[in-house]
Amino acid sequence: MKFSKATKVIILVGAIIFGIALCQAGINAFLITSDIKSRARAQLGVAAQTTLTKLETALRQSTEDLKLLLAHKELENYFTARAFDDTNEMTGRVAVFEGFLEKMYKAKPQYTKIQLTGAKGTPFLQVNKGGRVETFAPFSEITGPAAWQDLLKPAAPDNPGAGRVIHKSFFDKQDGWVVLSAAPIRYQGVTEGVLWLYQPVSAFFQQILVELAQGDIACIVGDQNGQLIARSDSIADRLADDFFRGRLPGWLITQKDFTPLGWTVKVGMQKNILYAQQRIFQSIWLLSLFVSLCVAMGALWGLKIYQESLERKIREREQE
């Protein structure tokens, strides 16, 4: 099949236009993908930092709440009565302090257990959800020997972390993951007791995960041993470990470390969600390109036919 010179020109022009358009489409796709990925990483960075800020705020609030409790006058009165072995006075003072803890639970229900023990772990008082319990085990064993000893020591230049509030996380069979905060109670310069705040974190993380999910962001929080503390519902159990290790295909993942508790926060977005709008845009663009090319080729072909018709009429008149 032979083509006329005009037909060949039309085909060549169409091929050039189509090739240029495809190259432009590739460049646009690359630029859009890079921009989307850059924006997504920035969004994930903000999400991870926001989560860290909320954790820091919660831990700082626990420290402030412990300081508030330590400043309660009845604690000093209680240990004064203990120094004089005044049982009746101790009973009265601890009852007043117990009433204060009940009121505190109403204002701060995140502390499901508040415990008062001696410096050697002797149990004095525990309030569970605003109500006193008679039998309980001290929390001292949960902190670990090193942290427990530092808690009891007075602060010193060679050990500035001693004698301060400590925070530890652990898994409880009943309450799940818990943050345990403890502060030493000093009486006349000597550590006589420890005040404990027991705070399950499942409800705290649930709120964070719901907020992140509104932006199509998934999140996993784990400890230094790889134990998962919180996980978004959008991450299946079989994928959770790979997500936490940052090697899950099809996801863009960013991490932040929360050093006070030895936790790692990882947030991520699925790439198919990220690039969904890009694919829609490309499909519309390619369709528009195809329609435009068809229109252009049709116009060129029509022009060719019109030109051939004119040339034929001219030849017919010349022959007459």
Side-chain angles (χ1 to χ4, degrees), residues 174-225:
Q174 181 177 353
D175 296 319
W177 281 93
V178 173
V179 172
L180 186 65
S181 304
I185 302 171
R186 305 202 185 281
Y187 177 72
Q188 295 183 350
V190 179
T191 301
E192 294 289 350
V194 179
L195 193 60
W196 308 81
L197 295 179
Y198 178 101
Q199 182 179 2
V201 296
S202 58
F204 172 81
F205 276 119
Q206 185 60 33
Q207 182 178 357
I208 291 177
L209 296 178
V210 168
E211 292 175 358
L212 291 175
Q214 293 174 356
D216 294 320
I217 297 176
C219 175
I220 278 185
V221 180
D223 67 4
Q224 62 267 36
N225 298 318

Side-chain angles (χ1 to χ4, degrees), residues 37-52 212 217-221 235 242-248 251-257 264-271 274:
K37 188 176 291 186
S38 176
R39 290 174 182 271
R41 288 196 182 279
Q43 185 180 355
L44 290 175
V46 170
Q49 186 57 53
T50 300
T51 303
L52 245 64
L212 291 175
I217 297 176
C219 175
I220 278 185
V221 180
I235 305 173
D242 286 339
F243 184 100
F244 186 67
R245 298 180 186 280
R247 60 188 187 193
L248 186 61
W251 285 77
L252 197 63
I253 299 174
T254 298
Q255 81 169 52
K256 292 280 186 180
D257 294 325
T264 297
V265 176
K266 297 216 174 185
V267 294
M269 298 179 72
Q270 294 188 62
K271 291 181 179 179
L274 281 178

Side-chain angles (χ1 to χ4, degrees), residues 13 39 42 49 57 68 101 119 133 151 154 223 236 239 248 285 316:
V13 170
R39 290 174 182 271
Q49 186 57 53
T57 301
L68 175 66
L101 295 183
V133 294
L151 181 67
D223 67 4
L239 303 178
L248 186 61
W285 192 87
E316 288 176 353

Side-chain angles (χ1 to χ4, degrees), residues 1-2 8 16 22 31 42 58 67 136 138 212 250 293 299-300 305:
M1 181 178 180
K2 295 183 178 181
K8 292 179 180 178
I16 292 173
L22 283 180
L31 293 176
K67 290 180 179 178
F136 59 92
L212 291 175
L293 186 61
L300 287 174
I305 294 175

Side-chain angles (χ1 to χ4, degrees), residues 62-314:
S62 296
T63 299
E64 293 302 318
D65 290 338
L66 276 172
K67 290 180 179 178
L68 175 66
L69 291 173
L70 290 175
H72 200 284
K73 186 65 177 177
E74 292 305 324
L75 266 184
E76 181 181 351
N77 293 338
Y78 173 77
F79 283 101
T80 299
R82 286 192 65 85
F84 288 96
D85 200 22
D86 188 339
T87 305
N88 290 334
E89 185 70 9
M90 283 191 296
T91 302
R93 297 304 180 185
V94 81
V96 175
F97 188 61
E98 176 189 339
F100 179 75
L101 295 183
E102 291 175 359
K103 293 179 181 178
M104 182 175 180
Y105 174 72
K106 292 180 181 179
K108 298 179 179 292
Q110 66 267 32
Y111 305 127
T112 58
K113 297 177 184 179
I114 303 177
Q115 188 181 100
L116 175 65
T117 66
K120 295 182 179 180
T122 307
F124 293 156
L125 171 68
Q126 180 165 309
V127 174
N128 290 5
K129 296 183 177 180
R132 182 172 182 171
V133 294
E134 298 301 328
T135 304
F136 59 92
F139 291 139
S140 55
E141 296 178 359
I142 297 174
T143 62
W148 174 245
Q149 292 303 318
D150 273 350
L151 181 67
L152 300 180
K153 294 176 183 177
D158 61 338
N159 192 6
R164 298 182 179 180
V165 175
I166 63 171
H167 304 279
K168 292 287 180 179
S169 64
F170 70 98
F171 182 81
D172 181 83
K173 292 182 180 179
Q174 181 177 353
D175 296 319
W177 281 93
V178 173
V179 172
L180 186 65
S181 304
I185 302 171
R186 305 202 185 281
Y187 177 72
Q188 295 183 350
V190 179
T191 301
E192 294 289 350
V194 179
L195 193 60
W196 308 81
L197 295 179
Y198 178 101
Q199 182 179 2
V201 296
S202 58
F204 172 81
F205 276 119
Q206 185 60 33
Q207 182 178 357
I208 291 177
L209 296 178
V210 168
E211 292 175 358
L212 291 175
Q214 293 174 356
D216 294 320
I217 297 176
C219 175
I220 278 185
V221 180
D223 67 4
Q224 62 267 36
N225 298 318
Q227 297 293 318
L228 300 186
I229 297 166
R231 172 178 60 85
S232 295
D233 293 336
S234 58
I235 305 173
D237 290 339
R238 59 186 176 82
L239 303 178
D241 185 63
D242 286 339
F243 184 100
F244 186 67
R245 298 180 186 280
R247 60 188 187 193
L248 186 61
W251 285 77
L252 197 63
I253 299 174
T254 298
Q255 81 169 52
K256 292 280 186 180
D257 294 325
F258 186 56
T259 53
L261 291 175
W263 290 353
T264 297
V265 176
K266 297 216 174 185
V267 294
M269 298 179 72
Q270 294 188 62
K271 291 181 179 179
N272 62 350
I273 295 177
L274 281 178
Y275 302 142
Q277 290 184 344
Q278 177 201 4
R279 287 195 295 271
I280 293 173
F281 171 80
Q282 281 185 310
S283 298
I284 294 174
W285 192 87
L286 287 173
L287 180 61
S288 300
L289 172 64
F290 177 74
V291 172
S292 300
L293 186 61
C294 289
V295 171
M297 293 290 289
L300 287 174
W301 197 269
L303 181 62
K304 170 183 173 293
I305 294 175
Y306 177 72
Q307 183 179 2
E308 290 177 347
S309 175
L310 284 178
E311 290 177 351
R312 186 170 56 255
K313 289 180 178 179
I314 292 173

Side-chain angles (χ1 to χ4, degrees), residues 8-20 293 297 300:
K8 292 179 180 178
V9 170
I10 291 174
I11 295 174
L12 179 61
V13 170
I16 292 173
I17 293 174
F18 190 71
I20 293 174
L293 186 61
M297 293 290 289
L300 287 174

